[in-house]
């Protein structure tokens, strides 16, 4: 049986800075990082999982070199420390062989079930809907065989984002009952609303997501540096000891099955469970929300949970939670904490290593699950281009949040118009309001992204918000006109919408339009401290 070394064989799908897509090995990804625009996996979550794998390697390869902005500045200016990374990968090359008979990468040799049944590739390939084979571009052999390179990518993705639910019960795992491994939650990254900062190329992206302001403990080791795992939970290692440990946490026990050079089946069983609460010290790539429910359930004074992304909301609508800085002395009292990656960007800006007018991209990536987190509903992927000032400077962040508040107020006025028109025609008010909200935010989406991308440290706040408010009024006004035009003749006559026993309340298209215009005019006079979702700046 020939091996497949991730350090020798090309398997990571990347896009060059000239737009070409190709496969590279792990060392090549680091060596060519200046010429690689981005990792280009089959799904955004796959790209994020491979990025986190590379960050774990980067951290361990450079451990002992020191930490802080001095080292970061050297790598930003002179390039990645590829000699150190190559040496590290050489030292651990035997643990990166996908087909090693004793220590296969990210797998457990000899993993099996008492029945001999396996999971099937449908459980490994996240873009092949389980039970819905018609909703995929894969067909025929594409559903039953994977090349070694593609299997490697999906293996990394599985250890990061595999859904919860019942798994194939691994022989030797005392948790198994009746041949089944009962749910332990999603793989670690499945809990997260990832916040990834992207630069002009892969080198910049790696460095922007590599906080060096806190030293990692020497015992922080990725899974391939640990003892070979068996089918059961690893006793004595129930919590991650650092970021590299967490980025490679073995959430699942996996074994690929081969036919020649292709993977034709897989066993996926439960690995090491990990609670998502209070992991901010070792997980920098997500924002956090305080959870009174978990505080009560766990009996802890303070519990922060990862802030997952809502697939129904554009990234800019939640900027407050993603960007608001909180002093260390107040963090125990906050409902939201921003990600460590954004904190690190602020450190780089304060140290003068990134100018305020430098443009970076903030990308949000995550997996949305359904039915007790046992199935994948959708992948979340959104991004905003911004000057560093808009992501780190308090004044510019407050301005961006005012812009969101203006949009929220205008869309709320549009939704109220839709609801009143529904009342006038005896239609479903709630569904009409929901459709109007979706239409309103869709109408403003591209405009906000362009407005936000133009905010700089020198932006005049009042001029910027005035221009944005006028644009919002125009766009939402057009949406309102469309609603009125399609309301139908019944809306002109209107109807009494009062409940029995209440004072008469007549609603028709004229009243609905008048109320809408009054509320829409108010978006120009929103107080400066008002922000999205009732927050205050």
């Amino acid at each position: 049986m020939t091996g497949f070394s991730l350090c020798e064989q090309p398997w990571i799908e990347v896009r060059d800075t000239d737009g070409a897509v190709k496969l590279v090995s792990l060392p090549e990804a680091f060596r060519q990082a200046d010429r690689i625009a981005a990792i280009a996996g089959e799904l955004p979550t796959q790209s994020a999982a491979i990025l986190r794998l590379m960050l774990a390697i980067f951290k361990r390869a450079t451990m002992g070199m020191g930490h802080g902005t001095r080292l970061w500045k050297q790598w930003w200016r002179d390039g990645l420390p590829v000699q150190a990374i190559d040496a590290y990968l050489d030292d651990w090359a035997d643990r990166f062989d996908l087909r090693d008979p004793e220590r296969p990468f990210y797998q457990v040799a000899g993993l099996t079930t008492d029945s001999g049944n396996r999971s099937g590739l449908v459980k490994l390939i996240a873009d092949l809907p389980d039970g819905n084979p018609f909703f995929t571009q894969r067909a025929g052999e594409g559903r039953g065989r994977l090349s070694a390179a593609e299997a490697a990518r999906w293996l990394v993705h599985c250890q990061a984002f595999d859904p919860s639910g019942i798994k194939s019960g691994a022989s030797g795992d005392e948790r198994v009952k009746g041949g089944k491994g009962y749910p332990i939650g999603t793989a670690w990254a499945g809990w997260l609303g990832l916040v990834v900062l992207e630069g002009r190329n892969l080198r910049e992206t790696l460095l922007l997501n590599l906080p060096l302001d806190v030293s990692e403990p020497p015992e922080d080791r990725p899974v391939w540096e640990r003892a070979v795992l068996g089918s059961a939970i690893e006793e004595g290692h129930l919590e991650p000891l650092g970021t590299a440990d967490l980025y490679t946490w073995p959430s699942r026990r996996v074994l690929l099955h081969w036919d020649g050079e292709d993977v034709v089946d897989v066993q996926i069983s439960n690995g090491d469970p990990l609670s998502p609460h209070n992991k901010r010290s070792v997980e920098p790539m997500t924002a956090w929300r305080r959870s009174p429910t978990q505080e009560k359930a766990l009996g802890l004074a303070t519990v922060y949970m990862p802030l997952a992304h809502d697939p129904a909301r554009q990234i800019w609508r939640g900027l407050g939670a993603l960007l608001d800085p909180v002093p260390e002395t107040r963090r125990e009292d906050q409902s939201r904490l921003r990600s460590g990656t954004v904190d690190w960007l602020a450190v780089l800006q304060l140290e003068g290593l990134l100018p305020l007018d430098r443009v970076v991209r903030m990308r949000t990536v995550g997996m949305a699950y359904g039915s007790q987190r046992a199935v994948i509903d959708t992948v979340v992927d959104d991004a905003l281009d911004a000057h560093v000032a808009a992501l780190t400077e308090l004044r510019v962040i407050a301005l961006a949040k005012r812009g969101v508040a203006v949009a929220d107020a205008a869309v709320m006025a549009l939704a109220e118009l839709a609801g009143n028109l529904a009342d006038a025609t005896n239609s479903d008010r709630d569904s009409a309001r929901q459709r109007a909200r979706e239409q309103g935010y869709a109408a403003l989406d591209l405009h906000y992204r362009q407005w936000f991308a133009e905010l700089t440290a020198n932006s005049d706040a009042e001029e910027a918000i005035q221009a944005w408010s006028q644009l919002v009024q125009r766009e939402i006004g057009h949406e309102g006109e469309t609603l009125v035009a399609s309301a139908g003749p019944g809306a002109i006559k209107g109807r009494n919408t009062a409940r029995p026993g209440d004072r008469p309340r007549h609603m028709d298209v004229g009243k609905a339009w008048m109320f809408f215009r009054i509320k829409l005019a108010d978006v120009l006079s929103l107080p400066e401290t008002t922000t999205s979702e009732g927050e205050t700046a």
Side-chain angles (χ1 to χ4, degrees):
M1 179 178 67
T2 59
F4 187 89
S5 172
L6 305 189
C7 295
E8 298 176 5
Q9 302 296 326
W11 65 280
I12 303 174
E13 201 164 33
V14 299
R15 186 179 68 257
D16 275 346
T17 50
D18 62 5
V21 176
K22 65 179 183 180
L23 295 180
V24 296
S25 66
L26 267 172
E28 288 172 336
F30 286 104
R31 293 180 202 138
Q32 300 176 25
D34 279 301
R35 303 189 300 277
I36 293 173
I39 300 170
E42 282 90 336
L43 293 178
T45 45
Q46 189 186 91
S47 299
I50 294 173
L51 176 67
R52 285 163 66 87
L53 174 71
M54 292 183 66
L55 287 168
I57 293 169
F58 197 155
K59 280 179 170 291
R60 284 300 290 171
T62 58
M63 184 166 282
M65 290 187 179
H67 65 279
T69 54
R70 180 195 60 80
L71 195 60
W72 190 93
K73 179 181 180 181
Q74 176 184 336
W75 295 336
W76 186 262
R77 181 191 61 208
D78 301 334
L80 300 182
V82 291
Q83 289 184 334
I85 294 171
D86 279 347
Y88 175 82
L89 290 174
D90 285 344
D91 289 342
W92 293 97
D94 61 327
R95 297 299 297 269
F96 285 89
D97 188 341
L98 208 62
R99 304 188 67 169
D100 188 280
E102 297 180 358
R103 297 173 293 187
F105 175 75
Y106 251 175
Q107 301 165 77
V108 174
L111 189 72
T112 188
T113 62
D114 290 346
S115 66
N117 294 332
R118 299 168 185 164
S119 306
L121 290 183
V122 68
K123 299 293 185 181
L124 182 69
I125 307 170
D127 69 347
L128 184 60
D130 194 0
N132 294 285
F134 302 108
F135 296 95
T136 178
Q137 295 183 359
R138 295 175 183 270
E141 290 246 328
R143 295 169 53 195
R145 304 181 77 88
L146 293 177
S147 68
E150 190 175 8
R153 297 194 295 273
W154 285 122
L155 174 63
V156 173
H157 185 271
C158 176
Q159 291 286 14
F161 289 100
D162 190 56
S164 187
I166 295 176
K167 304 296 176 185
S168 301
S171 300
D173 183 359
E174 62 183 16
R175 295 171 293 177
V176 173
K177 297 180 180 179
K180 298 178 179 179
Y182 285 88
I184 63 170
T186 68
W188 171 249
W191 295 105
L192 312 179
L194 290 173
V195 179
V196 182
L197 299 176
E198 297 180 339
R200 297 167 180 166
N201 52 44
L202 180 57
R203 175 177 65 85
E204 292 188 358
T205 297
L206 285 166
L207 291 172
L208 289 171
N209 294 282
L210 189 76
L212 297 177
D213 50 340
V214 178
S215 59
E216 299 287 355
E219 60 271 20
D220 174 29
R221 297 180 299 166
V223 66
W224 52 81
E225 290 191 37
R226 291 158 54 182
V228 175
L229 298 174
S231 59
I233 295 175
E234 183 183 10
E235 297 296 334
H237 197 119
L238 302 181
E239 291 287 329
L241 302 177
T243 301
D245 191 359
L246 184 63
Y247 282 2
T248 62
W249 190 256
S251 298
R252 300 290 183 261
R253 301 293 189 260
V254 183
L255 183 62
L256 302 174
H257 289 269
W258 300 78
D259 178 18
E261 300 300 312
D262 294 336
V263 173
V264 294
D265 208 342
V266 63
Q267 179 178 333
I268 302 174
S269 301
N270 284 329
D272 295 348
L274 191 59
S275 169
H277 73 277
N278 292 346
K279 297 290 191 298
R280 191 178 189 274
S281 63
V282 290
E283 177 52 78
M285 294 182 74
T286 186
W288 300 82
R289 60 177 179 85
R290 188 169 179 180
S291 174
T293 301
Q294 290 297 317
E295 289 170 357
K296 184 177 180 180
L298 298 172
L300 298 175
T302 308
V303 171
Y304 282 98
M305 300 287 286
L307 182 63
H309 302 309
D310 182 350
R313 291 183 85 202
Q314 298 94 336
I315 178 175
W316 54 269
R317 292 171 58 193
L319 277 180
L322 295 178
L323 298 181
D324 271 351
V326 180
E328 289 288 344
T329 55
R330 292 177 51 204
R331 285 197 166 173
E332 294 300 307
D333 302 322
Q334 297 303 300
S335 62
R336 297 284 191 270
L337 299 176
R338 70 184 183 182
S339 70
T341 48
V342 176
D343 275 347
W344 177 237
L345 187 71
V347 169
L348 297 174
Q349 184 268 309
L350 286 173
E351 294 287 333
L353 300 181
L354 281 179
L356 289 170
D357 60 356
R358 177 65 186 267
V359 175
V360 298
R361 172 169 290 183
M362 181 172 65
R363 182 174 294 280
T364 51
V365 178
M367 191 74 81
Y369 302 92
S371 187
Q372 300 181 325
R373 301 181 67 84
V375 296
I376 295 172
D377 270 356
T378 188
V379 171
V380 179
D381 178 33
D382 202 352
L384 279 177
D385 291 329
H387 292 94
V388 168
L391 303 178
T392 62
E393 288 283 282
L394 290 176
R395 187 185 70 85
V396 190
I397 292 172
L399 175 57
K401 290 170 61 181
R402 278 185 73 188
V404 176
V406 167
D408 287 341
V411 172
M412 187 180 300
L414 184 68
E416 188 64 19
L417 170 63
N420 286 337
L421 291 174
D423 285 345
T425 56
N426 198 24
S427 302
D428 187 333
R429 178 181 178 86
D430 290 342
S431 61
R433 286 172 55 86
Q434 179 60 30
R435 286 194 301 271
R437 279 193 292 268
E438 293 171 357
Q439 292 165 358
Y441 283 118
L444 296 178
D445 185 42
L446 181 58
H447 294 295
Y448 185 90
R449 294 172 190 275
Q450 293 172 336
W451 179 77
F452 181 73
E454 293 170 359
L455 296 182
T456 70
N458 298 320
S459 294
D460 183 282
E462 291 311 312
E463 287 183 4
I465 205 67
Q466 184 80 4
W468 170 242
S469 298
Q470 290 173 352
L471 188 153
V472 168
Q473 283 186 315
R474 185 185 72 237
E475 293 299 319
I476 297 301
H478 289 165
E479 293 296 318
E481 291 170 356
T482 300
L483 287 178
V484 168
S486 61
I492 298 175
K493 180 180 178 181
R495 56 186 286 271
N496 178 25
T497 62
R499 295 178 180 178
D502 291 347
R503 295 176 59 184
R505 180 178 181 270
H506 184 83
M507 179 56 65
D508 57 36
V509 69
K511 282 187 176 180
W513 180 252
M514 178 186 67
F515 294 153
F516 171 66
R517 295 304 302 176
I518 291 172
K519 288 188 176 182
L520 192 58
D522 287 343
V523 302
L524 283 173
S525 57
L526 283 175
E528 186 171 349
T529 55
T530 301
T531 62
S532 178
E533 299 183 356
E535 300 173 358
T536 53

